Amino acid sequence: QVQLVESGGGLVQAGGSLRLSCAASGDTFSIYGITWFRQAPGKEREFVAAITWSGGSTFYANSVKGRSTISRDDAKNTVSLQMNSLKPDDTAVYYCAARRRPVLSGRSNDYDYWGQGTQVTVST
């Protein structure tokens, strides 16, 4: 079993920055990859960024590419998402998810473990 806890969300002005963190515990050696998803009111949950647990590969949605960075810390049990130049359209609940199968996916149904989510609100 893997437990995931997100943190770092909050209220920021447009153009500002946030750093979201996903802390993993339990059987973390079973994790192949960590992916960030987000869900805004009235919209489907969408892929944001992904990283292999080894940190060797990263992937980004076109909507955040160039202004976001996903990374793994030295302890290999926390994944962060640095978001810069935030826009009101970035407002959503952000979730991290872990996958056991050794292939990354942008489909939320392919993930085995989920955190509780952290709210990001970007004001105009």
Side-chain angles (χ1 to χ4, degrees):
Q1 189 71 26
V2 174
Q3 295 80 44
L4 303 173
V5 179
E6 302 97 333
S7 62
L11 174 64
V12 298
Q13 294 182 351
S17 299
L18 281 175
R19 187 175 182 87
L20 307 182
S21 294
C22 175
S25 60
D27 188 17
T28 59
F29 288 108
S30 69
I31 297 173
Y32 175 74
I34 293 287
T35 297
W36 285 96
F37 294 88
R38 68 186 182 187
Q39 188 165 23
K43 299 184 66 176
E44 298 291 326
R45 188 168 297 182
E46 66 174 343
F47 165 79
V48 179
I51 188 170
T52 55
W53 195 234
S54 68
S57 299
T58 59
F59 306 89
Y60 299 92
N62 289 334
S63 59
V64 302
K65 188 176 298 184
R67 60 188 182 95
S68 297
T69 303
I70 189 170
S71 62
R72 175 185 53 81
D73 75 358
D74 291 339
K76 299 183 179 180
N77 65 351
T78 300
V79 170
S80 296
L81 179 67
Q82 176 71 39
M83 299 187 295
N84 303 319
S85 301
L86 286 165
K87 309 172 182 178
D89 286 346
D90 294 319
T91 296
V93 177
Y94 285 70
Y95 301 89
C96 65
R99 178 175 169 88
R100 293 172 61 103
R101 288 181 177 268
V103 180
L104 287 179
S105 172
R107 292 169 45 87
S108 61
N109 287 344
D110 291 338
Y111 285 79
D112 302 296
Y113 308 102
W114 290 83
Q116 82 290 343
T118 185
Q119 176 71 50
V120 172
T121 302
V122 184
S123 63
T124 58

